[in-house]
Amino acid sequence: KNKNFNLDTLDIDEDKREKLLGYNFDNTFANAALETRIAWVRDRINEIVGELREMLIVPSELARLNYEGNLARGQNKTLALREAVRVMVPELEIFMKESKSDKHKGDVGYIISFLKSVLDDEVSPESKLRAQALKIVKEEIETEGKRRSKSSFWLVPGGK
């Protein structure tokens, strides 16, 4: 399940691993299959985070310039942040429509959250990208899970 995967370590904790494997815990094949799946999820999340980071370079810089301009005009941090993000929304919607990747189209909410975290030094932007990447991976796994036999459901983290 989604909650079994730790986004900080990009792995499954040992106690959750035991629950996932159940009676197969001592089974070499079951362990290897789970390790392979975890490695695939980890690699896929890192790949998607890289794509997202690259895609968000320009919007992040534009938002930062707007934010710094707002601060220079005397706005407080909260208002400057809110205004910078508000101004970016229409541009982001256009940017997302023009995105070459279908999986990133139409989802402006996480980008707004990401931009806020980029501008607000107290929040980690990387965690926002990882959360979005996990959401995309989960959708890929669900699609894959529909094509697999029921006997292989435990091989798919997030499977039913």
Side-chain angles (χ1 to χ4, degrees):
K1 290 187 171 111
N2 195 17
K3 64 181 181 246
N4 290 327
F5 198 81
N6 183 327
L7 270 177
D8 293 328
T9 63
L10 292 181
D11 204 347
I12 295 176
D13 299 330
E14 196 60 40
D15 58 330
K16 291 179 180 173
R17 193 178 292 262
E18 286 182 40
K19 285 180 187 174
L20 276 175
L21 290 171
Y23 66 89
N24 290 304
F25 194 70
D26 291 329
N27 182 315
T28 305
F29 171 76
N31 277 282
L34 182 61
E35 288 303 323
T36 300
R37 180 54 89 174
I38 291 168
W40 178 85
V41 171
R42 182 183 302 122
D43 291 347
R44 192 71 188 109
I45 285 174
N46 286 330
E47 181 182 340
I48 292 169
V49 165
E51 291 173 12
L52 294 175
R53 196 181 293 117
E54 188 174 309
M55 185 181 82
L56 293 172
I57 288 172
V58 173
S60 297
E61 284 308 306
L62 291 173
R64 183 174 298 284
L65 288 171
N66 192 302
Y67 175 67
E68 289 170 357
N70 292 343
L71 289 175
R73 284 189 292 283
Q75 290 182 346
N76 66 41
K77 277 183 79 172
T78 305
L79 189 58
L81 179 63
R82 190 178 300 141
E83 181 65 17
V85 172
R86 186 189 66 74
V87 168
M88 284 303 299
V89 171
E91 292 183 41
L92 284 172
E93 288 172 345
I94 293 166
F95 183 76
M96 294 302 281
K97 285 177 188 167
E98 293 172 355
S99 172
K100 293 175 187 163
S101 174
D102 286 340
K103 70 173 161 272
H104 306 309
K105 288 188 178 184
D107 195 351
V108 177
Y110 86 91
I111 295 182
I112 291 168
S113 178
F114 171 79
L115 291 176
K116 283 181 181 175
S117 66
V118 165
L119 299 174
D120 182 1
D121 297 329
E122 297 170 21
V123 184
S124 164
E126 191 72 12
S127 66
K128 302 290 184 187
L129 293 183
R130 281 187 173 190
Q132 179 65 15
L134 182 59
K135 179 182 166 192
I136 292 167
V137 168
K138 187 177 176 217
E139 290 168 4
E140 291 175 352
I141 289 171
E142 286 172 359
T143 301
E144 178 185 346
K146 290 175 186 170
R147 292 193 303 258
R148 288 177 168 260
S149 68
K150 291 191 185 235
S151 62
S152 65
F153 76 94
W154 57 272
L155 295 174
V156 184
K160 294 167 180 61

PDB file of all heavy atoms in Angstrom, residues 16-39:
ATOM      1  N   LYS A  16       7.040  -3.282   8.171  1.00  0.00           N
ATOM      2  CA  LYS A  16       6.037  -3.264   7.102  1.00  0.00           C
ATOM      3  C   LYS A  16       6.382  -4.288   6.030  1.00  0.00           C
ATOM      4  O   LYS A  16       5.503  -4.874   5.409  1.00  0.00           O
ATOM      5  CB  LYS A  16       5.937  -1.862   6.503  1.00  0.00           C
ATOM      6  CG  LYS A  16       5.330  -0.885   7.493  1.00  0.00           C
ATOM      7  CD  LYS A  16       5.241   0.505   6.946  1.00  0.00           C
ATOM      8  CE  LYS A  16       4.629   1.418   7.997  1.00  0.00           C
ATOM      9  NZ  LYS A  16       4.654   2.804   7.615  1.00  0.00           N
ATOM     10  N   ARG A  17       7.673  -4.511   5.833  1.00  0.00           N
ATOM     11  CA  ARG A  17       8.144  -5.529   4.891  1.00  0.00           C
ATOM     12  C   ARG A  17       7.626  -6.911   5.323  1.00  0.00           C
ATOM     13  O   ARG A  17       7.148  -7.688   4.504  1.00  0.00           O
ATOM     14  CB  ARG A  17       9.673  -5.490   4.878  1.00  0.00           C
ATOM     15  CG  ARG A  17      10.342  -6.220   3.777  1.00  0.00           C
ATOM     16  CD  ARG A  17      11.844  -6.029   3.917  1.00  0.00           C
ATOM     17  NE  ARG A  17      12.255  -4.658   3.653  1.00  0.00           N
ATOM     18  CZ  ARG A  17      12.738  -4.250   2.497  1.00  0.00           C
ATOM     19  NH1 ARG A  17      12.897  -5.088   1.508  1.00  0.00           N
ATOM     20  NH2 ARG A  17      13.081  -2.998   2.312  1.00  0.00           N
ATOM     21  N   GLU A  18       7.732  -7.195   6.625  1.00  0.00           N
ATOM     22  CA  GLU A  18       7.251  -8.478   7.155  1.00  0.00           C
ATOM     23  C   GLU A  18       5.753  -8.632   6.902  1.00  0.00           C
ATOM     24  O   GLU A  18       5.293  -9.696   6.507  1.00  0.00           O
ATOM     25  CB  GLU A  18       7.538  -8.574   8.657  1.00  0.00           C
ATOM     26  CG  GLU A  18       8.993  -8.819   8.977  1.00  0.00           C
ATOM     27  CD  GLU A  18       9.230  -8.952  10.475  1.00  0.00           C
ATOM     28  OE1 GLU A  18       8.395  -9.578  11.158  1.00  0.00           O
ATOM     29  OE2 GLU A  18      10.246  -8.427  10.943  1.00  0.00           O
ATOM     30  N   LYS A  19       4.984  -7.558   7.136  1.00  0.00           N
ATOM     31  CA  LYS A  19       3.531  -7.615   6.915  1.00  0.00           C
ATOM     32  C   LYS A  19       3.214  -7.842   5.437  1.00  0.00           C
ATOM     33  O   LYS A  19       2.306  -8.590   5.096  1.00  0.00           O
ATOM     34  CB  LYS A  19       2.863  -6.328   7.400  1.00  0.00           C
ATOM     35  CG  LYS A  19       2.762  -6.233   8.894  1.00  0.00           C
ATOM     36  CD  LYS A  19       2.075  -4.932   9.304  1.00  0.00           C
ATOM     37  CE  LYS A  19       2.121  -4.762  10.801  1.00  0.00           C
ATOM     38  NZ  LYS A  19       1.610  -3.468  11.231  1.00  0.00           N
ATOM     39  N   LEU A  20       3.947  -7.164   4.552  1.00  0.00           N
ATOM     40  CA  LEU A  20       3.706  -7.323   3.117  1.00  0.00           C
ATOM     41  C   LEU A  20       3.975  -8.753   2.649  1.00  0.00           C
ATOM     42  O   LEU A  20       3.242  -9.294   1.838  1.00  0.00           O
ATOM     43  CB  LEU A  20       4.602  -6.372   2.310  1.00  0.00           C
ATOM     44  CG  LEU A  20       4.105  -4.959   2.119  1.00  0.00           C
ATOM     45  CD1 LEU A  20       5.168  -4.124   1.420  1.00  0.00           C
ATOM     46  CD2 LEU A  20       2.829  -4.927   1.307  1.00  0.00           C
ATOM     47  N   LEU A  21       5.039  -9.333   3.172  1.00  0.00           N
ATOM     48  CA  LEU A  21       5.419 -10.680   2.739  1.00  0.00           C
ATOM     49  C   LEU A  21       4.608 -11.760   3.442  1.00  0.00           C
ATOM     50  O   LEU A  21       4.448 -12.857   2.920  1.00  0.00           O
ATOM     51  CB  LEU A  21       6.919 -10.905   2.970  1.00  0.00           C
ATOM     52  CG  LEU A  21       7.829 -10.095   2.049  1.00  0.00           C
ATOM     53  CD1 LEU A  21       9.274 -10.201   2.496  1.00  0.00           C
ATOM     54  CD2 LEU A  21       7.681 -10.549   0.607  1.00  0.00           C
ATOM     55  N   GLY A  22       4.102 -11.468   4.628  1.00  0.00           N
ATOM     56  CA  GLY A  22       3.288 -12.440   5.352  1.00  0.00           C
ATOM     57  C   GLY A  22       3.997 -13.763   5.494  1.00  0.00           C
ATOM     58  O   GLY A  22       5.133 -13.836   5.938  1.00  0.00           O
ATOM     59  N   TYR A  23       3.326 -14.828   5.117  1.00  0.00           N
ATOM     60  CA  TYR A  23       3.900 -16.173   5.249  1.00  0.00           C
ATOM     61  C   TYR A  23       5.048 -16.417   4.280  1.00  0.00           C
ATOM     62  O   TYR A  23       5.751 -17.408   4.385  1.00  0.00           O
ATOM     63  CB  TYR A  23       2.816 -17.239   5.065  1.00  0.00           C
ATOM     64  CG  TYR A  23       2.233 -17.274   3.680  1.00  0.00           C
ATOM     65  CD1 TYR A  23       2.791 -18.072   2.682  1.00  0.00           C
ATOM     66  CD2 TYR A  23       1.115 -16.510   3.359  1.00  0.00           C
ATOM     67  CE1 TYR A  23       2.274 -18.095   1.404  1.00  0.00           C
ATOM     68  CE2 TYR A  23       0.582 -16.530   2.086  1.00  0.00           C
ATOM     69  CZ  TYR A  23       1.163 -17.331   1.116  1.00  0.00           C
ATOM     70  OH  TYR A  23       0.645 -17.345  -0.153  1.00  0.00           O
ATOM     71  N   ASN A  24       5.272 -15.521   3.338  1.00  0.00           N
ATOM     72  CA  ASN A  24       6.360 -15.672   2.365  1.00  0.00           C
ATOM     73  C   ASN A  24       7.676 -15.083   2.845  1.00  0.00           C
ATOM     74  O   ASN A  24       8.631 -14.989   2.083  1.00  0.00           O
ATOM     75  CB  ASN A  24       5.988 -14.975   1.045  1.00  0.00           C
ATOM     76  CG  ASN A  24       4.884 -15.690   0.312  1.00  0.00           C
ATOM     77  OD1 ASN A  24       5.002 -16.875   0.027  1.00  0.00           O
ATOM     78  ND2 ASN A  24       3.802 -14.978   0.028  1.00  0.00           N
ATOM     79  N   PHE A  25       7.749 -14.651   4.128  1.00  0.00           N
ATOM     80  CA  PHE A  25       8.911 -13.909   4.601  1.00  0.00           C
ATOM     81  C   PHE A  25      10.227 -14.667   4.403  1.00  0.00           C
ATOM     82  O   PHE A  25      11.239 -14.071   4.092  1.00  0.00           O
ATOM     83  CB  PHE A  25       8.745 -13.523   6.075  1.00  0.00           C
ATOM     84  CG  PHE A  25       9.732 -12.487   6.513  1.00  0.00           C
ATOM     85  CD1 PHE A  25       9.628 -11.181   6.042  1.00  0.00           C
ATOM     86  CD2 PHE A  25      10.786 -12.800   7.360  1.00  0.00           C
ATOM     87  CE1 PHE A  25      10.542 -10.205   6.418  1.00  0.00           C
ATOM     88  CE2 PHE A  25      11.704 -11.827   7.741  1.00  0.00           C
ATOM     89  CZ  PHE A  25      11.570 -10.540   7.272  1.00  0.00           C
ATOM     90  N   ASP A  26      10.216 -15.988   4.570  1.00  0.00           N
ATOM     91  CA  ASP A  26      11.444 -16.774   4.407  1.00  0.00           C
ATOM     92  C   ASP A  26      11.634 -17.250   2.967  1.00  0.00           C
ATOM     93  O   ASP A  26      12.613 -17.933   2.666  1.00  0.00           O
ATOM     94  CB  ASP A  26      11.436 -17.992   5.346  1.00  0.00           C
ATOM     95  CG  ASP A  26      11.564 -17.548   6.799  1.00  0.00           C
ATOM     96  OD1 ASP A  26      12.204 -16.512   7.036  1.00  0.00           O
ATOM     97  OD2 ASP A  26      11.012 -18.233   7.672  1.00  0.00           O
ATOM     98  N   ASN A  27      10.717 -16.905   2.118  1.00  0.00           N
ATOM     99  CA  ASN A  27      10.764 -17.350   0.727  1.00  0.00           C
ATOM    100  C   ASN A  27      11.727 -16.451  -0.059  1.00  0.00           C
ATOM    101  O   ASN A  27      11.524 -15.243  -0.162  1.00  0.00           O
ATOM    102  CB  ASN A  27       9.344 -17.278   0.150  1.00  0.00           C
ATOM    103  CG  ASN A  27       9.256 -17.762  -1.269  1.00  0.00           C
ATOM    104  OD1 ASN A  27      10.083 -17.421  -2.106  1.00  0.00           O
ATOM    105  ND2 ASN A  27       8.225 -18.528  -1.545  1.00  0.00           N
ATOM    106  N   THR A  28      12.771 -17.063  -0.598  1.00  0.00           N
ATOM    107  CA  THR A  28      13.801 -16.306  -1.332  1.00  0.00           C
ATOM    108  C   THR A  28      13.204 -15.570  -2.519  1.00  0.00           C
ATOM    109  O   THR A  28      13.508 -14.404  -2.768  1.00  0.00           O
ATOM    110  CB  THR A  28      14.912 -17.254  -1.820  1.00  0.00           C
ATOM    111  OG1 THR A  28      15.410 -17.963  -0.690  1.00  0.00           O
ATOM    112  CG2 THR A  28      16.040 -16.489  -2.475  1.00  0.00           C
ATOM    113  N   PHE A  29      12.325 -16.248  -3.264  1.00  0.00           N
ATOM    114  CA  PHE A  29      11.708 -15.621  -4.437  1.00  0.00           C
ATOM    115  C   PHE A  29      10.863 -14.415  -4.030  1.00  0.00           C
ATOM    116  O   PHE A  29      10.937 -13.349  -4.643  1.00  0.00           O
ATOM    117  CB  PHE A  29      10.844 -16.617  -5.210  1.00  0.00           C
ATOM    118  CG  PHE A  29      10.036 -15.954  -6.290  1.00  0.00           C
ATOM    119  CD1 PHE A  29      10.624 -15.562  -7.478  1.00  0.00           C
ATOM    120  CD2 PHE A  29       8.682 -15.666  -6.100  1.00  0.00           C
ATOM    121  CE1 PHE A  29       9.898 -14.916  -8.467  1.00  0.00           C
ATOM    122  CE2 PHE A  29       7.949 -15.026  -7.076  1.00  0.00           C
ATOM    123  CZ  PHE A  29       8.556 -14.653  -8.266  1.00  0.00           C
ATOM    124  N   ALA A  30      10.062 -14.579  -2.972  1.00  0.00           N
ATOM    125  CA  ALA A  30       9.186 -13.485  -2.532  1.00  0.00           C
ATOM    126  C   ALA A  30      10.019 -12.272  -2.116  1.00  0.00           C
ATOM    127  O   ALA A  30       9.698 -11.136  -2.471  1.00  0.00           O
ATOM    128  CB  ALA A  30       8.303 -13.949  -1.377  1.00  0.00           C
ATOM    129  N   ASN A  31      11.105 -12.531  -1.382  1.00  0.00           N
ATOM    130  CA  ASN A  31      11.984 -11.429  -0.972  1.00  0.00           C
ATOM    131  C   ASN A  31      12.628 -10.759  -2.178  1.00  0.00           C
ATOM    132  O   ASN A  31      12.696  -9.528  -2.245  1.00  0.00           O
ATOM    133  CB  ASN A  31      13.063 -11.939  -0.008  1.00  0.00           C
ATOM    134  CG  ASN A  31      12.555 -12.018   1.411  1.00  0.00           C
ATOM    135  OD1 ASN A  31      12.455 -11.008   2.088  1.00  0.00           O
ATOM    136  ND2 ASN A  31      12.218 -13.218   1.848  1.00  0.00           N
ATOM    137  N   ALA A  32      13.100 -11.553  -3.121  1.00  0.00           N
ATOM    138  CA  ALA A  32      13.746 -11.001  -4.324  1.00  0.00           C
ATOM    139  C   ALA A  32      12.745 -10.189  -5.145  1.00  0.00           C
ATOM    140  O   ALA A  32      13.073  -9.117  -5.663  1.00  0.00           O
ATOM    141  CB  ALA A  32      14.342 -12.124  -5.163  1.00  0.00           C
ATOM    142  N   ALA A  33      11.516 -10.719  -5.254  1.00  0.00           N
ATOM    143  CA  ALA A  33      10.483 -10.012  -6.019  1.00  0.00           C
ATOM    144  C   ALA A  33      10.156  -8.666  -5.370  1.00  0.00           C
ATOM    145  O   ALA A  33      10.032  -7.648  -6.052  1.00  0.00           O
ATOM    146  CB  ALA A  33       9.221 -10.874  -6.125  1.00  0.00           C
ATOM    147  N   LEU A  34      10.048  -8.659  -4.024  1.00  0.00           N
ATOM    148  CA  LEU A  34       9.756  -7.415  -3.320  1.00  0.00           C
ATOM    149  C   LEU A  34      10.913  -6.424  -3.477  1.00  0.00           C
ATOM    150  O   LEU A  34      10.696  -5.241  -3.743  1.00  0.00           O
ATOM    151  CB  LEU A  34       9.475  -7.682  -1.839  1.00  0.00           C
ATOM    152  CG  LEU A  34       9.109  -6.447  -1.018  1.00  0.00           C
ATOM    153  CD1 LEU A  34       7.830  -5.782  -1.535  1.00  0.00           C
ATOM    154  CD2 LEU A  34       8.953  -6.815   0.449  1.00  0.00           C
ATOM    155  N   GLU A  35      12.150  -6.899  -3.329  1.00  0.00           N
ATOM    156  CA  GLU A  35      13.322  -6.030  -3.492  1.00  0.00           C
ATOM    157  C   GLU A  35      13.377  -5.435  -4.898  1.00  0.00           C
ATOM    158  O   GLU A  35      13.700  -4.258  -5.072  1.00  0.00           O
ATOM    159  CB  GLU A  35      14.622  -6.794  -3.204  1.00  0.00           C
ATOM    160  CG  GLU A  35      14.836  -7.118  -1.744  1.00  0.00           C
ATOM    161  CD  GLU A  35      14.831  -5.890  -0.839  1.00  0.00           C
ATOM    162  OE1 GLU A  35      15.345  -4.830  -1.246  1.00  0.00           O
ATOM    163  OE2 GLU A  35      14.296  -5.992   0.276  1.00  0.00           O
ATOM    164  N   THR A  36      13.062  -6.265  -5.897  1.00  0.00           N
ATOM    165  CA  THR A  36      13.057  -5.784  -7.285  1.00  0.00           C
ATOM    166  C   THR A  36      12.007  -4.700  -7.471  1.00  0.00           C
ATOM    167  O   THR A  36      12.254  -3.668  -8.099  1.00  0.00           O
ATOM    168  CB  THR A  36      12.790  -6.959  -8.251  1.00  0.00           C
ATOM    169  OG1 THR A  36      13.824  -7.914  -8.079  1.00  0.00           O
ATOM    170  CG2 THR A  36      12.742  -6.507  -9.694  1.00  0.00           C
ATOM    171  N   ARG A  37      10.825  -4.924  -6.898  1.00  0.00           N
ATOM    172  CA  ARG A  37       9.740  -3.952  -7.028  1.00  0.00           C
ATOM    173  C   ARG A  37      10.092  -2.649  -6.307  1.00  0.00           C
ATOM    174  O   ARG A  37       9.862  -1.557  -6.826  1.00  0.00           O
ATOM    175  CB  ARG A  37       8.437  -4.537  -6.488  1.00  0.00           C
ATOM    176  CG  ARG A  37       7.266  -3.573  -6.600  1.00  0.00           C
ATOM    177  CD  ARG A  37       7.083  -3.060  -7.989  1.00  0.00           C
ATOM    178  NE  ARG A  37       6.216  -3.930  -8.728  1.00  0.00           N
ATOM    179  CZ  ARG A  37       5.771  -3.676  -9.945  1.00  0.00           C
ATOM    180  NH1 ARG A  37       6.134  -2.577 -10.545  1.00  0.00           N
ATOM    181  NH2 ARG A  37       5.010  -4.515 -10.566  1.00  0.00           N
ATOM    182  N   ILE A  38      10.676  -2.765  -5.111  1.00  0.00           N
ATOM    183  CA  ILE A  38      11.074  -1.564  -4.368  1.00  0.00           C
ATOM    184  C   ILE A  38      12.108  -0.775  -5.165  1.00  0.00           C
ATOM    185  O   ILE A  38      12.025   0.446  -5.269  1.00  0.00           O
ATOM    186  CB  ILE A  38      11.619  -1.927  -2.967  1.00  0.00           C
ATOM    187  CG1 ILE A  38      10.480  -2.449  -2.083  1.00  0.00           C
ATOM    188  CG2 ILE A  38      12.291  -0.726  -2.306  1.00  0.00           C
ATOM    189  CD1 ILE A  38      10.950  -3.091  -0.786  1.00  0.00           C
ATOM    190  N   ALA A  39      13.081  -1.487  -5.737  1.00  0.00           N
ATOM    191  CA  ALA A  39      14.116  -0.818  -6.543  1.00  0.00           C
ATOM    192  C   ALA A  39      13.479  -0.127  -7.746  1.00  0.00           C
ATOM    193  O   ALA A  39      13.858   0.997  -8.098  1.00  0.00           O
ATOM    194  CB  ALA A  39      15.171  -1.829  -7.005  1.00  0.00           C
TER     195      ALA A  39
END
